[in-house]
Amino acid sequence: MADSDHVDQDVRWLTAAVTDMYDAYMSSDRARADSYIAQDVTLWDTEHEPLVRGLDGLNALRDSRPAGSVDAVAGIDVTDPVIDILGDIALVRHTFAVRFTDAAVAPERVRNTAVWQRRDGRWLIIHNHEDVLPEASPQHTQEDPQ
């Protein structure tokens, strides 16, 4: 198999993994979501300022959130990620919109960058960074050509 075939296969797998992680969140399947995350991950979360260290730190952050948080979410719309493969490292960038069950609440738009590393033949997130974006306006919905 040519190198470009391997890269295409990795891009397809990573794209599916991004979507599956949000599907896992929506179905409250933490184990499935965690299967994509390295034990030694670091994260910048949208609602938590300090750097989160490790899967245990992520689970502590999750457990500190109000019970039933997922019940307020009607769905998560994910854009196709932009993925660069650099050997055993992948940079995966995408945005997503969180739609809430309360139609009066505007969707929350989030920009996400994840660093994945291939470990023992499996891609795992080793760092994730999320930023909440301003409410959508025509000038913010198009990619900046510069």
Side-chain angles (χ1 to χ4, degrees):
M1 189 181 287
D3 284 343
S4 65
D5 292 338
H6 284 290
V7 169
D8 290 345
Q9 182 179 357
D10 288 337
V11 167
R12 284 191 303 276
W13 189 92
L14 289 161
T15 299
V18 167
T19 302
D20 191 47
M21 289 185 69
Y22 293 111
D23 291 346
Y25 170 79
M26 290 300 298
S27 63
S28 298
D29 188 345
R30 189 181 284 191
R32 189 168 104 217
D34 287 355
S35 72
Y36 297 105
I37 304 171
Q39 287 290 324
D40 59 344
V41 68
T42 57
L43 302 105
W44 293 117
D45 185 76
T46 60
E47 298 177 9
H48 182 78
E49 188 172 338
L51 182 67
V52 177
R53 294 180 181 275
L55 194 52
D56 289 341
L58 173 59
N59 284 321
L61 175 61
R62 289 168 169 164
D63 292 342
S64 73
R65 293 187 172 139
S69 296
V70 72
D71 296 333
V73 177
I76 300 174
D77 303 318
V78 183
T79 62
D80 286 336
V82 175
I83 299 174
D84 291 311
I85 308 284
L86 309 162
D88 287 335
I89 299 292
L91 300 176
V92 180
R93 289 90 71 195
H94 67 279
T95 59
F96 61 93
V98 180
R99 290 179 287 107
F100 297 98
T101 55
D102 181 349
V105 177
E108 181 177 73
R109 296 177 339 117
V110 179
R111 175 176 44 211
N112 180 289
T113 300
V115 179
W116 295 68
Q117 184 178 39
R118 188 182 353 243
R119 293 181 176 177
D120 298 322
R122 175 140 170 94
W123 288 106
L124 295 170
I125 296 173
I126 61 171
H127 180 74
N128 195 69
H129 186 128
E130 291 184 342
D131 292 310
V132 175
L133 296 169
E135 286 192 35
S137 68
Q139 67 186 3
H140 289 122
T141 58
Q142 300 295 318
E143 279 193 39
D144 184 355
Q146 297 177 6

